[in-house]
Amino acid sequence: MPTVEISGNTELRKALRRFAPDLEKNLRKEMASGLKPVVRAARGFVPAESPMSGWAARSFSEGRFPTYNAQAIQRGITYSTTVSKKSKNGFTSMASIKNKSAVGAIYETAGRKNANGQNWVGPKAGGSGKGVSRSNNPKAGQQFIDNLPPLVSSLQGRGRLIYRAWAEDKGRAHNIVMKAIDKTISEFYARSAAKTLGKAA
Amino acid sequence: MATENVGIFIDSKADLKGFKEAETAAAKLNKNIKTLATSLGVAYGTRAVVNFGKAAVKAFAEDQAATIRLAKAVDNLGMAYANPEITKFISGLEKSSGIVDEQLRPAFQALLTTTKDLGTSYTLLNDAVDISRGSGIDLATVSQDLANGYVGITRGLKKYNTGLTQAQLKTKSFSEVLTVLNKQFSGASAAYLDTYAGKLDILTVAADNAKESIGKGLVDAFARAGGGQSVQDAVKTIESITQAVNALVTTVSFAVEGLVKLYRFFDFIGSLGGLLKVKPQKMAADTTKQQTTIAKTQIKASTALTKAQKTNTAELKKQATLKKAGTVFDLEQIQLVAALKGKLSDEEKLRVEAQLALLNGNVDLAKKLTDQILAAQDSTGNLSKFLSALPNARNPFEYLDAYLSYLAGKAAAIATGQAAPNAPSATATPAPMPSTNVPSAANEPMISYNTMTGLSYNPNANQPVINVTVQGNVIKEQELIQQIQNGTQLASLSGSPSQIGRIAGMFG
């Protein structure tokens, strides 16, 4: 008896779309139901005002460092139930929660790599490397991080918004998503065995 | 700012499609290399020999066919005696020009059949070789152009860029044109043969001849081995030998496989372990391919079946909807349903329901309801008894018999003077109607229907009485008229507004 075996997220979703679109739709719906609360909680962690007065938006700024914008951060925190593009390491994911905005990413991850800020080289240092602090203030990085809430560890990494929400969710969203995926795969294989798959128009 | 890593990725899996492709390609390459390495040992030599044998036989067969073709053409020209000489000439020219005899023979044949002269054909073929080498145009084309020019068709000679116009080509004789061509291309062949390519051509000719010779020998040998003399017999023998060699190689490969397994057990030849996987891998790949094909076919069939079922269901649904719609808009049914909703007696309700059942084609229900109606009409059963007890229909002219007898008797009495007989009396009385529960018909008043006006008039109905009460003292008719006239006059004099509707014909 011929069997259908699907390996890989992209192939699975492609097969679902072609032969069981209802399952695919239901999968997305169920995954969204698990991810929405996390996104909502993460948006709730965004402070309305800038943690530092100097980071707040001002009428004129020549700097390229993005100023604090709570709405932009909140807008940038989203979830996706589509298969992600292949990463540079060749991995894809079935669903994801992202902090897309630049300012949101800064708030989320500041201090994650260098807890005391990047190494200070000052404004007069040569080169164009981005991994160093070129501020006039040698302690700028340290002070910036100190003014932000502490990083929260989760099983997916450390952060202040989506990672914190993920940690506080305590795996509920993950459980919902994985269950939905497993259920869909089982159903798909069952239909395949029963030959009730129909190609979508 | 790169925010690629600022996100939570759920159910991440390595998409190894690219890696797998690379792995498969590498495995294939490895397999091919091993196959090649294996072949180099035993099979390649055998295979090469067999292939060369086949090619040699083929070359010999083609050469022989060309030779026979030319010989036949020469025979047909009545120059059969010249065949050996032609063969010698072709052979010599082949060696001197570096052009294989498979090309020379058709070219010579074209010239000979046109000129019908051996000497001219020899000369022209030599010239053609030079022209072909000098112009780069293939020998067959050049020979055909020269043959055409010999008979006055010089159009094809223009492409050799002799400097002659089309008009000059037409006006000049072939010998004059040929002189120009020879002047232009003379020695080209010799010059070409001095080149590396020319020398390679000579080598090719030699190899070709060798191949043909070997082919001839092989054909003869194989034909004899096959029990015949023809090329077909030789080919059959070669095929048989090839199959036998392949079987031998396969057997040897199995033996080697067994040895490899044995050696592997002793861990002596670990580097040959890959050989063991070639066959199972291929089998697995074939099985997977077959399974995929079957799965695809089944999915296709399933899709088609589902589609057909959907179409059928949709059609049935459509028909049911149409029927339902038709029922809804059936006015007769609408009226009956409306009647059922009204206040009806039990019997009327039964009648309406029975009619509705008849309209809908529900025979059983209609019969049942009809029986109920009949039972309701005659619950005592007297009516049916009376109907069954009715005598046969009587003769309506029965009384005429008695009357005619009476007339005959009266006439006889007049004639004979006897007393006249008594007149017949109609004493027949109909049977009385039995009593039933069928309500008696109401005493309907007489109604006349005027077909012209469509109105009904009942003369027995009570006549309407119109009472006109007039204020004042009106006793006589004249007084009534007077009152009306006064009223009308007063209304006209008072100036009260009046309206006339001309379209509707109203006045008020």
Side-chain angles (χ1 to χ4, degrees), chain A residues 2 9-10 19 35 86 90-100 105-106 108 156 162-163 166 174 177-178 181 195 197, chain B residues 1-20 291-292 294-295 298-299 302-303 306 310:
Chain A
N9 293 330
T10 312
F19 299 110
L35 300 176
K86 204 188 291 185
F91 281 77
T92 57
S93 61
M94 287 287 275
S96 56
I97 297 172
K98 286 183 180 174
N99 190 345
K100 289 179 181 173
I106 292 167
E108 178 88 61
Q156 293 281 340
I162 60 174
Y163 293 100
W166 187 257
H174 188 254
V177 171
M178 294 311 292
I181 293 168
K195 298 174 188 174
L197 292 176
Chain B
M1 179 177 284
T3 59
E4 188 187 345
N5 59 348
V6 185
I8 296 168
F9 299 93
I10 302 152
D11 192 26
S12 289
K13 284 179 186 169
D15 189 345
L16 299 173
K17 196 179 171 189
F19 297 106
K20 277 184 180 171
Q291 284 181 350
T292 310
I294 291 167
Q298 288 192 349
I299 287 170
S302 171
T303 309
T306 310
K310 275 184 182 172

Side-chain angles (χ1 to χ4, degrees), chain B residues 17 62 95 171 191 209 276 282 284 299 306 339 373 382 399 419 423 426 430 439 482 486 488 490:
Chain B
K17 196 179 171 189
E62 287 175 356
K95 286 170 188 165
T171 52
N209 286 336
L276 297 171
K282 188 175 184 304
I299 287 170
T306 310
I373 292 164
N382 290 336
Y399 69 96
Q482 189 61 46
N486 289 342
T488 310
L490 185 63

